[in-house]
């Protein structure tokens, strides 16, 4: 394998093979290793010099050609590649281009993943320094030492605001405003990224300055992850509370919606904000009733919001709470437990009881003369790890929707306690459900609707006639008559287990339809 050496420092970001029809290369983004054979060129009536010019203009990093010899490439193509510093690689005539393409892509993806992991580690260190109060200077000094390059901060008008030099290296004499041309005169280059502001404008620029041969793909990735941290420092100087709150909201939203690629990275972000997501968690949603007037801008809403937050933090000091319009969402940390279902039920019950205490304390506090909004609370099931939190959030929302419909406002609605209603609620209105309902209870509904109440009492008391008579205020003989009448209308005995199951499901549907 031979190569013209000029331009070999170019970074390859992908690989692509020549197509069997024009255009020879499609969707070139720049940075590719282009693979082709001279025989393919001849079939397309294309020349190598012309193709090299097109690929160079498109930003291709390297061109590899399968040919019988160097001479077969042609002097014109070799001269052009040399002039443009475009590496031109000679491949064996029998080279398997598809295999080379696959191997290069595999390597690039692996390299990119490792590079992004390193960048994330550096960004985590920068964020830690930021949270510890190191300020812009401290963050930039760490970045300069870590990368062995000068770090320059410019304002929106590109005037130099701050410079950090690597350890044991003198600062640069930088003009202001700083430009690439002025750096080139000193034999230096830079990579630069804009620093966003909270007002969707450019607050300034973050640059890494050094020798051209010292830069690689990692530098650009690091800058992309460092600029939000510098943006936080910029905005902190202007309004510390506002920026930290927004970062909290973004991180919280990413957690409950699962908007992240690596769980470890998300847990690190949360840890930097002071939250431990390595233990089991559950999500709860406190939400003001849709029937209430708009509390979102009133003092009543602010007081309600404050009460909910304070009581949740009192019961779970390590919980993560965020407020939205008319609702409060919280991630509640719970002690670890084993995989036994009974243990999980115990923790679900304990969670419910603790939330009952929270609601009681909220309602027991003095209102200071302001109106209290009516609200409900939806409780998701316990998530054993970070990846389960989006499901717990959806369950809390569903528990609110289903619970409000069935049991009204002002209650705790636990998804774990909804039982079969979780299934029936979303099937309500389907023809199959309606058919089952009327086929099962139709004979009673069409005859005497009070038979349905008798049947509900029968199941509520587990068939105990004495208990039924006491709670329903019926004489025992009257109950026997009504139950016999029900069996006659249904044409089957209530001792039939299949019938009992069908009737209990139908009664749940009946309750659903009443609401």
């Amino acid at each position: 394998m031979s190569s013209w050496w000029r331009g070999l420092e170019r970074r390859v970001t992908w690989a692509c093979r020549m197509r069997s029809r024009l255009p020879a290369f499609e969707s070139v983004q720049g940075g590719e290793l282009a693979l082709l054979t001279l025989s393919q060129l001849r079939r397309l009536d294309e020349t190598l010099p012309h193709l090299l010019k097109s690929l160079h203009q498109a930003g291709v990093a390297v061109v590899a050609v399968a040919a019988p010899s160097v001479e077969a490439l042609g002097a014109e193509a070799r001269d052009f590649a040399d002039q443009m510093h475009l590496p031109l690689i000679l491949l064996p005539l029998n080279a398997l281009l598809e295999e080379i393409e696959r191997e290069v892509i595999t390597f690039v993806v692996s390299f990119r993943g490792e590079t992004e992991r390193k960048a994330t580690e550096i960004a985590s260190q920068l964020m830690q320094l930021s949270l510890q109060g190191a300020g812009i200077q401290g963050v930039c000094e760490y970045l300069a030492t870590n990368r062995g390059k000068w770090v320059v901060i410019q304002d929106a008008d590109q005037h130099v605001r701050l410079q950090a030099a690597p350890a044991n290296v003198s600062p640069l004499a930088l003009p202001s405003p700083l430009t690439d041309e002025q750096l080139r005169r000193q034999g230096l280059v830079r990579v630069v990224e804009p620093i966003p502001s909270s007002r969707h404008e450019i607050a300034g620029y973050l640059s890494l300055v050094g020798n051209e041969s010292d830069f690689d793909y990692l530098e650009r990735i690091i800058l992309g992850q460092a600029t939000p941290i510098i943006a936080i420092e910029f905005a902190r100087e202007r309004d510390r509370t506002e920026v930290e709150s927004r970062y909290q909201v973004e991180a919280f939203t990413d957690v409950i919606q699962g908007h992240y690629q690596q769980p470890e990275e998300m847990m690190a972000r949360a840890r930097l904000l002071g939250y431990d997501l390595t233990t089991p968690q559950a999500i709860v949603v406190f939400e003001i009733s849709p029937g209430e007037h708009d509390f979102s801008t009133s003092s009543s809403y602010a007081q309600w919001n404050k009460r909910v937050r304070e009581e949740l933090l009192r019961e779970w000091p390590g919980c993560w709470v965020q407020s939205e319009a008319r609702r409060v969402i919280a991630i509640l940390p719970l002690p670890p437990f084993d995989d036994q279902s009974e243990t999980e039920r115990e923790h679900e019950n304990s969670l419910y009881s603790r939330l009952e205490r929270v609601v009681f304390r909220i309602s027991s506090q003095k209102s200071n003369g302001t109106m209290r909004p009516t609200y409900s609370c939806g409780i998701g099931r316990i998530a054993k790890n970070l990846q389960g939190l989006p499901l717990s959030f959806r369950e809390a929302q569903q528990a609110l929707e289903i619970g409000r419909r069935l049991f009204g406002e002002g209650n705790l609605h636990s998804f774990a306690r909804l039982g079969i209603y979780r299934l029936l609620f979303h099937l309500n209105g389907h023809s199959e459900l309606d058919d089952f309902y009327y086929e099962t209870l139709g004979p009673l509904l069409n005859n005497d609707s009070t038979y349905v109440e008798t049947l509900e009492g029968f199941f509520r008391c587990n068939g105990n006639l004495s208990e039924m008579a006491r709670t329903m205020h019926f004489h025992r003989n009257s109950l026997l008559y009504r139950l016999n009448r029900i069996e006659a209308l249904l044409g089957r005995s209530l001792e039939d287990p299949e019938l009992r199951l069908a009737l209990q499901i139908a009664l749940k549907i009946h309750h659903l339809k009443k609401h």
Side-chain angles (χ1 to χ4, degrees):
M1 184 179 295
S2 302
S3 165
W4 280 263
W5 60 270
R6 302 189 70 175
L8 289 179
E9 75 282 355
R10 291 189 175 196
R11 180 170 60 89
V12 173
T13 61
W14 205 247
C16 57
R17 284 180 294 139
M18 186 175 180
R19 303 190 330 151
S20 59
R21 62 183 184 277
L22 293 174
F25 289 89
E26 190 175 37
S27 302
V28 173
Q29 302 296 317
E32 289 88 352
L33 164 63
L35 299 159
L36 62 137
T37 67
L38 286 183
S39 57
Q40 286 178 300
L41 281 175
R42 296 190 187 101
R43 284 195 295 271
L44 292 179
D45 196 23
E46 173 69 286
T47 66
L48 183 57
H50 181 266
L51 180 61
L52 288 179
K53 292 175 183 177
S54 299
L55 294 176
H56 175 67
Q57 291 173 354
V60 165
V62 184
V63 177
V65 185
S69 65
V70 171
E71 290 72 21
L73 299 179
E76 184 182 352
R78 299 198 304 270
D79 290 343
F80 175 81
D82 187 54
Q83 292 170 11
M84 296 297 108
H85 295 190
L86 176 65
L88 183 57
I89 298 175
L90 175 65
L91 297 176
L93 193 58
N94 59 349
L96 299 176
L97 300 190
E98 182 177 2
E99 184 175 330
I100 295 174
E101 178 188 42
R102 183 170 59 251
E103 290 295 329
V104 170
I105 290 174
T106 300
F107 175 81
V108 167
V109 170
S110 175
F111 172 79
R112 187 178 298 170
E114 178 63 17
T115 301
E116 291 175 353
R117 184 191 66 79
K118 290 179 181 178
T120 299
E121 289 179 356
I122 295 171
S124 296
Q125 290 294 327
L126 296 176
M127 178 58 75
Q128 185 67 48
L129 287 169
S130 175
L131 291 174
Q132 291 173 354
I136 297 178
Q137 185 70 44
V139 170
C140 291
E141 287 175 354
Y142 175 86
L143 183 58
T145 300
N146 182 277
R147 302 315 304 154
K149 296 176 176 65
W150 291 274
V151 176
V152 178
I153 298 288
Q154 296 170 270
D155 61 22
D157 297 322
Q158 301 195 19
H159 294 285
V160 175
R161 173 176 170 179
L162 177 151
Q163 179 190 164
N168 304 318
V169 176
S170 300
L172 293 171
L174 298 175
S176 185
L178 177 66
T179 65
D180 292 336
E181 180 60 32
Q182 290 164 334
L183 285 174
R184 277 195 292 270
R185 291 173 187 165
Q186 301 182 51
L188 299 171
V189 295
R190 67 171 175 170
V191 288
V192 59
E193 285 285 335
I195 301 170
S197 77
S198 59
R199 298 178 177 85
H200 306 289
E201 301 169 347
I202 294 177
Y205 299 89
L206 171 64
S207 300
L208 281 175
V209 179
N211 298 314
E212 183 175 3
S213 59
D214 292 341
F215 286 92
D216 57 26
Y217 179 61
L218 179 59
E219 319 293 346
R220 180 69 67 181
I221 299 298
I222 289 173
L223 279 192
Q225 297 198 22
T227 48
I229 300 170
I230 300 298
I232 290 176
E233 292 295 340
F234 264 44
R236 182 175 286 142
E237 295 175 355
R238 194 171 56 243
D239 191 341
R240 183 185 185 105
T241 303
E242 176 187 340
V243 175
E244 288 185 340
S245 174
R246 187 176 71 253
Y247 188 82
Q248 285 256 7
V249 170
E250 290 175 355
F252 186 87
T253 302
D254 288 345
V255 168
I256 65 175
Q257 295 184 356
H259 291 167
Y260 52 85
Q261 293 184 345
Q262 298 296 329
E264 295 78 12
E265 178 186 344
M266 190 67 251
M267 286 192 287
R269 284 177 62 193
R271 192 159 49 247
L272 292 174
L273 293 171
Y275 302 104
D276 180 9
L277 299 182
T278 61
T279 65
Q281 317 269 332
I283 292 184
V284 295
V285 179
F286 287 79
E287 188 171 85
I288 294 174
S289 168
E292 291 277 9
H293 69 275
D294 187 10
F295 274 92
S296 58
T297 58
S298 69
S299 59
S300 298
Y301 170 78
Q303 288 188 20
W304 172 81
N305 186 301
K306 184 172 181 289
R307 283 199 197 103
V308 173
R309 177 183 291 270
E310 289 175 346
E311 291 301 332
L312 285 172
L313 287 168
R314 175 180 171 185
E315 188 71 29
W316 289 275
C319 72
W320 195 351
V321 187
Q322 288 294 321
S323 301
E324 297 181 1
R326 302 176 67 90
R327 70 176 182 174
V328 175
I329 307 171
I331 302 175
L332 308 180
L334 303 170
F337 58 90
D338 57 38
D339 293 332
Q340 299 296 322
S341 58
E342 290 185 4
T343 306
E344 187 167 350
R345 280 196 295 271
E346 289 174 2
H347 280 75
E348 296 281 4
N349 291 334
S350 173
L351 171 64
Y352 190 89
S353 298
R354 294 174 73 180
L355 284 167
E356 282 184 317
R357 291 197 294 271
V358 166
V359 171
F360 175 77
R361 290 197 297 265
I362 293 172
S363 61
S364 299
Q365 291 176 347
K366 294 182 180 179
S367 63
N368 297 326
T370 59
M371 293 180 60
R372 286 177 173 166
T374 301
Y375 67 93
S376 295
C377 174
I379 311 168
R381 287 182 296 183
I382 296 173
K384 295 180 182 178
N385 51 43
L386 172 68
Q387 296 91 316
L389 284 175
L391 176 59
S392 181
F393 177 53
R394 292 194 297 272
E395 290 173 347
Q397 293 177 303
Q398 290 177 22
L400 264 178
E401 181 185 6
I402 298 171
R404 280 171 160 166
R405 170 88 175 269
L406 297 178
F407 310 112
E409 291 286 355
N411 296 303
L412 288 174
H413 305 298
S414 170
F415 188 86
R417 296 187 172 202
L418 288 174
I420 197 172
Y421 284 120
R422 302 192 319 237
L423 174 64
L424 298 180
F425 184 83
H426 294 290
L427 292 176
N428 190 29
H430 287 228
S431 59
E432 294 85 355
L433 193 75
D434 291 338
D435 291 344
F436 172 82
Y437 171 69
Y438 288 112
E439 287 172 6
T440 307
L441 285 185
L444 305 185
L445 296 170
N446 296 333
N447 190 279
D448 186 344
S449 61
T450 61
Y451 285 148
V452 173
E453 298 175 9
T454 303
L455 198 58
E456 287 178 330
F458 174 79
F459 288 117
R460 190 167 51 249
C461 298
N462 294 317
N464 187 316
L465 292 181
S466 299
E467 182 67 14
M468 284 181 66
R470 186 183 65 81
T471 59
M472 300 183 68
H473 307 291
F474 271 99
H475 191 276
R476 182 183 174 89
N477 291 339
S478 299
L479 282 176
L480 280 172
Y481 170 79
R482 296 179 70 82
L483 291 174
N484 288 332
R485 180 61 180 154
I486 288 172
E487 289 182 328
L489 290 170
L490 296 175
R492 296 167 68 183
S493 169
L494 291 176
E495 297 299 319
D496 184 344
E498 291 294 330
L499 176 62
R500 283 195 177 203
L501 175 61
L503 287 172
Q504 289 184 77
I505 294 174
L507 288 173
K508 297 291 187 185
I509 300 172
H510 182 72
H511 184 59
L512 183 65
K513 288 184 174 295
K514 286 196 301 183
H515 296 83

